[in-house]
Amino acid sequence: MSRRRAVRVAGAVVTGLRRTTTTALLLALVPTVAALLIAAGVLCAPVSLATQGSWRPVRITGFAFIYLLVDLAGLVAAAVLWARRLPDRLDREERISADAFAVLERLLRQLRRAGEQVFRLQVEVRPPPPGETGHAAVPVLVFVRHAGVGDSFLLLQILLSQAGLRPHTVLKRTLRADPALDVLIGRVPHCFLPPFDGRAEDAIADLAAGLGPGDALVIFPEGGNFTPRRRRRAIASLRRQGLPRRASRAERMRHVLPPRDAGALAAIAAAPTADVVFVAHTGLDVVHSARSVWSQLPLREGVRARWWRIPASRVPPGNDARSEWLLTQWARVDRWITDHATPDATHA
């Protein structure tokens, strides 16, 4: 057996064990969280009715229960799609991907509706997404600020439902613990980091190189959710690397982490005809810890997002110039957040 084939077999075994484990855990959690929801309702009702309270324990456990049900529905939908393909093993990869995107869109739309009902989520995107552009659109690279619980899911829903784009997403490998996400993302172009072998930027470049009309490669250049501690560590790391000028510029950006160049630059180089979209947002950044989940939900302010699109022809040539350009755009993200963030956000 060749080494490559051995790696594929080992990967299939690991994937099967992981999905079996996470699916079993999901099935066990559904009745457990349902019982917690009932208990929260019984215990919370006297106080909340008397004080016109926010029913916070009920809201949190209720949304957790809805999330589990949506996840379970995703697994059932994935199984149905698999069963439909059994008579015809020659289904094209494009059809498999299109079916998975359709299921993902429905699941994310349901989660957004649940967020609107349970947590009073309101989203304002400026300018409004251009609507379903379909195959006529040129590919785009979407570079997004990462802050707050659920911002990545909300972005994917907006891209799928409102912008009509097919997101090819770069995600942390820990998200494979979600069984429905694990199965469905596995059927569309994606990249989990860190990769099992090779460099992360090579995996991102391979994903970007496959973009076509109507596709969007989604990257969070900061590499993780913003927190003040991560910001301080990132700036210190730049100084240790002998990049004092970049560290000084990062210090002036109070609300974002300095972007990591490697993945973004690899994507731009691999997809030279793709436009670049930058997305700034605030509203979910008030929910950044277990304590803030309890204190900030339901949301008092809506989620506001601002995006701008730069044609491929205006992206500078060469990695050095692109690195400076990326940092300049990220400073623009920071300035927008300064003007629109609430005092409860993580950076305040």
Side-chain angles (χ1 to χ4, degrees):
M1 181 183 295
S2 67
R3 181 180 181 276
R4 180 172 296 181
R5 179 175 174 79
V7 170
R8 285 202 301 266
V9 171
V13 171
V14 171
T15 297
L17 290 174
R18 182 186 65 249
R19 290 178 178 176
T20 300
T21 302
T22 56
T23 300
L25 182 60
L26 172 64
L27 293 173
L29 282 174
V30 169
T32 301
V33 175
L36 289 174
L37 176 59
I38 294 171
V42 171
L43 296 175
C44 185
V47 175
S48 294
L49 289 173
T51 63
Q52 296 184 340
S54 63
W55 295 81
R56 192 170 288 120
V58 176
R59 290 179 187 273
I60 294 173
T61 53
F63 186 82
F65 183 61
I66 293 171
Y67 186 96
L68 294 174
L69 291 181
V70 169
D71 220 46
L72 188 58
L75 284 177
V76 172
V80 170
L81 292 177
W82 176 80
R84 284 179 180 174
R85 286 200 307 274
L86 281 179
D88 183 8
R89 292 286 189 173
L90 299 179
D91 262 3
R92 293 188 306 166
E93 185 176 338
E94 292 83 357
R95 175 63 183 272
I96 296 173
S97 189
D99 288 343
F101 274 131
V103 173
L104 278 170
E105 191 277 329
R106 289 195 296 271
L107 298 180
L108 292 172
R109 181 157 32 94
Q110 290 301 321
L111 286 177
R112 176 170 172 175
R113 287 177 179 172
E116 292 169 347
Q117 295 295 320
V118 177
F119 294 136
R120 300 172 188 165
L121 172 69
Q122 297 179 1
V123 182
E124 176 187 287
V125 181
R126 290 286 180 262
E132 294 197 8
T133 53
H135 64 275
V138 301
V140 293
L141 306 176
V142 184
F143 297 157
V144 193
R145 180 218 185 182
H146 202 3
V149 175
D151 63 344
S152 55
F153 286 178
L154 184 58
L155 171 74
L156 294 180
Q157 188 273 326
I158 291 171
L159 290 176
L160 281 164
S161 300
Q162 296 177 239
L165 295 170
R166 297 179 294 271
H168 299 198
T169 310
V170 179
L171 300 167
K172 286 189 173 181
R173 190 166 292 281
T174 52
L175 288 175
R176 303 197 82 164
D178 182 311
L181 188 66
D182 186 14
V183 171
L184 292 169
I185 289 293
R187 297 181 181 180
V188 302
H190 70 282
C191 173
F192 281 111
L193 299 181
F196 283 129
D197 56 358
R199 302 184 307 164
E201 51 265 39
D202 292 336
I204 293 172
D206 289 343
L207 187 61
L211 291 176
D215 292 337
L217 176 65
V218 181
I219 300 181
F220 299 88
E222 293 162 305
N225 254 322
F226 175 94
T227 66
R229 181 181 180 186
R230 283 179 176 168
R231 174 178 172 271
R232 291 191 297 268
R233 285 177 10 201
I235 293 171
S237 176
L238 290 174
R239 296 196 185 282
R240 287 195 302 270
Q241 295 173 48
L243 300 170
R245 181 173 174 274
R246 195 172 181 88
S248 296
R249 292 185 67 182
E251 281 186 322
R252 293 195 291 271
M253 296 187 290
R254 305 294 301 178
H255 319 312
V256 294
L257 304 177
R260 300 180 181 181
D261 277 356
L265 295 180
I268 293 172
T273 62
D275 292 350
V276 180
V277 171
F278 290 90
V279 182
H281 64 84
T282 188
L284 288 175
D285 42 6
V286 301
V287 186
H288 50 83
S289 65
R291 178 180 295 181
S292 65
V293 168
W294 184 260
S295 63
Q296 298 295 334
L297 294 177
L299 294 169
R300 301 181 185 90
E301 302 286 342
V303 175
R304 287 179 285 183
R306 174 76 167 87
W307 64 273
W308 56 95
R309 181 169 182 159
I310 300 175
S313 59
R314 291 176 51 195
V315 177
N319 278 350
D320 290 342
R322 286 173 179 171
S323 178
E324 285 296 310
W325 173 77
L326 180 61
L327 193 58
T328 298
Q329 296 298 322
W330 220 242
R332 181 179 175 183
V333 171
D334 181 74
R335 290 193 299 272
W336 185 89
I337 297 168
T338 299
D339 295 336
H340 295 86
T342 66
D344 293 324
T346 55
H347 45 75

